[in-house]
Amino acid sequence: MEVDMIFKIAAIGIIVAILNVLLVRSGREEQALLTTIAGLIVALMMIITQIGDLFTSIKNIFGL
């Protein structure tokens, strides 16, 4: 895994946390929850591509 990928995921986490706090304090708990779920989905989509590359590399190494 590349270091920039870790920084991107960390940046998404920080932005989502800030938005969550702002929305909860303004009384919009439902939107805060949706923002958190959206951030989680974006981070998971980034990780899924890396996992796909990992499986492809494993298949090539073992000749499967």
Side-chain angles (χ1 to χ4, degrees):
M1 180 182 275
E2 301 157 3
V3 176
D4 61 333
M5 180 67 71
I6 296 171
F7 287 138
K8 288 179 185 177
I9 293 172
I12 290 170
I14 291 169
I15 291 169
V16 167
I18 291 171
L19 286 174
N20 192 2
V21 168
L22 290 174
L23 288 170
V24 167
R25 289 192 183 203
S26 67
R28 300 180 177 185
E29 288 83 11
E30 295 86 11
Q31 290 176 347
L33 178 65
L34 290 175
T35 303
T36 303
I37 292 172
L40 179 65
I41 290 171
V42 169
L44 285 176
M45 292 301 289
M46 294 171 64
I47 292 172
I48 286 173
T49 58
Q50 295 294 320
I51 292 173
D53 293 341
L54 173 67
F55 285 144
T56 303
S57 297
I58 290 173
K59 284 170 73 174
N60 289 336
I61 289 171
F62 292 111
L64 299 175

